[in-house]
Amino acid sequence: MAYSQSGASSISLLFGFFVVWQASLSFFAVADEVEAGGSNLCGADLSTFLPPPYSNMSNMICSPVWNTFSVRYTQNKDNVLTIILSAVYTTGWVGIGFSRDGMMVGSSAIVGWFNKQGHARIKQYYLQGTKTTQVIPDKGELPLTKIPSAVALHGATMYMAFQIKPEDRLTHQPILLAFGSGYPVHNHLTHHDDKTTILFDFSAGSVSTGSNGVVELKKNHGILGIVGWGLFLPCGAIVARYFRHKDPLWFYLHISIQFVGFIFGLATVVAGTQLYNKIHAHVRTHRGIGIFVLTLSILQVMAFFLRPNHEAKTRKYWNWYHHWVGRIALFLGALNIVLGIQIGNAGNSWKISYGFLLGAVLISVFALEALLFMRKSEKLNENPAFQMNPVM
């Protein structure tokens, strides 16, 4: 009975440690109406504070995109795209990035700020990696024109203006938006306070339908993967290995938990496929492992229906296959969760949460494995393999 309670408490510990949360920071405690006279962010007269040619651009389309961020733009017949990004500003920096796949790594960004002395700064950065040291100033792939970029502060709003000339006319473009409250040091950015990814339609001047759901879809994809491959499927495997003395309860618990885990895993792949169709992210390793793990899961489900009887000669081979394919799938599933958190730049809350969950699983396995070893040792002592005949 003591062994059963220990095992049950270990499994309940897994559920207790599973907390996936994500803090949302407000941009700054400033009202949306920041212009004199109560006009909104799209109603400012740019000619009063921006230099030419940005101050006299005609037919600019303005669209609020996120928090206090708004994008003004115009694109001429030569594919010259003029962009003015505005956002409420007090300290730190504001940035807009252009991505091929909606991911941070490999993107190029325009970042503006005012230093502590009040001097304006605007630079292009190449986002080589997710660390601040990998955000390289004065690098990037944006084809800037010879018109100098500009940054201005008007009231409580900062405006960044720049021109690019891509080879092809921009239509649907993944855009990264971010801000940080810390001042850049020697042009090196501090870590962002908040960020988002949108899919902006430069042909219609709006955020495309469903594009605001890209971040939410990424979050759901991650949560489904952690619940399925980080929680249910490991729990089902733990039940099968360490609770066989509770026959036939262990069997029904095992197949029930694994079925739920399989559904979550399948939903993870479906969400990942939808995400790929939206942003076409080049994450071949992550996608490849995910598809391979799903294939192993399907094979495990099929193996259940093809399970031979205990007396069959092929049963030991089936057991070997079922155990090792399951272990490989669980290992690859955990590896892919870590890889997904890293690729998605999910943040410390995700890393800490999954770290707790993975640690709880490993500690439970070590503890239950030790108990199982002790239990087998006791049985061997009670029933020795052979006995010495007493000397007559």
Side-chain angles (χ1 to χ4, degrees):
M1 179 62 69
Y3 175 77
S4 175
Q5 290 176 348
S6 175
S9 62
S10 298
I11 289 182
S12 63
L13 183 64
L14 302 179
F15 288 89
F17 273 110
F18 180 68
V19 180
V20 178
W21 58 273
Q22 187 173 24
S24 175
L25 299 173
S26 59
F27 188 6
F28 297 105
V30 183
D32 286 339
E33 294 185 352
V34 294
E35 308 295 343
S39 58
N40 59 36
L41 290 176
C42 286
D45 182 5
L46 304 181
S47 63
T48 60
F49 53 87
L50 281 179
Y54 308 110
S55 58
N56 53 18
M57 285 284 178
S58 60
N59 300 323
M60 293 200 81
I61 300 174
C62 182
S63 176
V65 288
W66 174 65
N67 278 357
T68 61
F69 282 67
S70 293
V71 171
R72 291 174 175 83
Y73 80 95
T74 182
Q75 191 168 194
N76 65 23
K77 61 181 180 179
D78 297 323
N79 296 339
V80 175
L81 179 64
T82 302
I83 295 176
I84 301 175
L85 177 73
S86 61
V88 171
Y89 177 83
T90 53
T91 62
W93 55 268
V94 172
I96 177 172
F98 290 74
S99 171
R100 290 186 296 269
D101 54 15
M103 300 296 179
M104 172 184 173
V105 178
S107 303
S108 299
I110 299 294
V111 179
W113 70 93
F114 287 84
N115 62 21
K116 294 180 180 180
Q117 292 72 37
H119 299 148
R121 297 288 186 268
I122 185 167
K123 286 182 176 292
Q124 181 176 186
Y125 286 79
Y126 180 66
L127 311 183
Q128 189 178 56
T130 57
K131 299 179 180 179
T132 54
T133 55
Q134 295 174 310
V135 179
I136 306 173
D138 298 315
K139 299 290 184 180
E141 300 175 350
L142 291 178
L144 295 171
T145 66
K146 295 181 179 180
I147 302 297
S149 302
V151 59
L153 188 63
H154 182 64
T157 304
M158 186 174 75
Y159 294 81
M160 294 194 313
F162 59 95
Q163 282 187 346
I164 59 175
K165 186 178 180 181
E167 294 182 0
D168 300 316
R169 189 175 184 84
L170 285 188
T171 54
H172 294 81
Q173 171 64 45
I175 287 179
L176 313 174
L177 300 171
F179 65 87
S181 57
Y183 289 104
V185 179
H186 301 300
N187 296 326
H188 291 285
L189 302 183
T190 58
H191 196 272
H192 58 71
D193 289 354
D194 203 357
K195 61 180 175 59
T196 192
T197 302
I198 64 172
L199 187 64
F200 193 80
D201 187 358
F202 282 101
S203 63
S206 64
V207 178
S208 301
T209 303
S211 62
N212 279 332
V214 170
V215 174
E216 191 67 24
L217 186 57
K218 287 171 63 177
K219 184 189 299 184
N220 292 338
H221 173 66
I223 291 175
L224 289 170
I226 290 175
V227 172
W229 287 102
L231 181 63
F232 277 100
L233 292 174
C235 284
I238 287 173
V239 168
R241 178 166 177 80
Y242 302 111
F243 292 87
R244 285 180 175 268
H245 58 290
K246 297 294 183 180
D247 194 38
L249 177 62
W250 76 266
F251 177 75
Y252 296 112
L253 282 176
H254 174 64
I255 60 175
S256 299
I257 295 173
Q258 297 304 79
F259 178 75
V260 174
F262 172 76
I263 296 300
F264 272 100
L266 181 61
T268 302
V269 175
V270 171
T273 302
Q274 292 177 346
L275 186 61
Y276 176 78
N277 291 336
K278 284 180 177 292
I279 63 177
H280 298 285
H282 298 285
V283 286
R284 294 180 180 177
T285 302
H286 183 64
R287 289 186 67 220
I289 293 176
I291 294 172
F292 181 64
V293 169
L294 178 64
T295 302
L296 294 181
S297 302
I298 294 173
L299 290 176
Q300 289 287 76
V301 173
M302 294 175 61
F304 168 76
F305 294 102
L306 300 175
R307 183 169 56 104
N309 296 326
H310 286 281
E311 297 78 14
K313 294 181 179 180
T314 58
R315 180 57 183 254
K316 65 177 182 178
Y317 301 108
W318 183 92
N319 286 337
W320 181 89
Y321 159 83
H322 185 63
H323 295 166
W324 281 104
V325 169
R327 289 166 183 167
I328 292 172
L330 287 175
F331 172 77
L332 292 177
L335 177 64
N336 217 28
I337 290 174
V338 174
L339 187 61
I341 292 174
Q342 185 67 25
I343 291 173
N345 192 26
N348 291 330
S349 62
W350 286 75
K351 295 176 183 178
I352 293 172
S353 298
Y354 182 62
F356 270 116
L357 179 61
L358 183 60
V361 170
L362 294 177
I363 291 173
S364 300
V365 168
F366 290 144
L368 291 171
E369 190 70 26
L371 290 173
L372 181 63
F373 177 79
M374 294 171 57
R375 195 162 171 264
K376 288 182 177 180
S377 299
E378 290 176 358
K379 285 188 176 181
L380 287 175
N381 293 332
E382 293 174 0
N383 302 296
F386 62 91
Q387 296 181 351
M388 296 292 292
N389 290 326
V391 178
M392 297 299 294

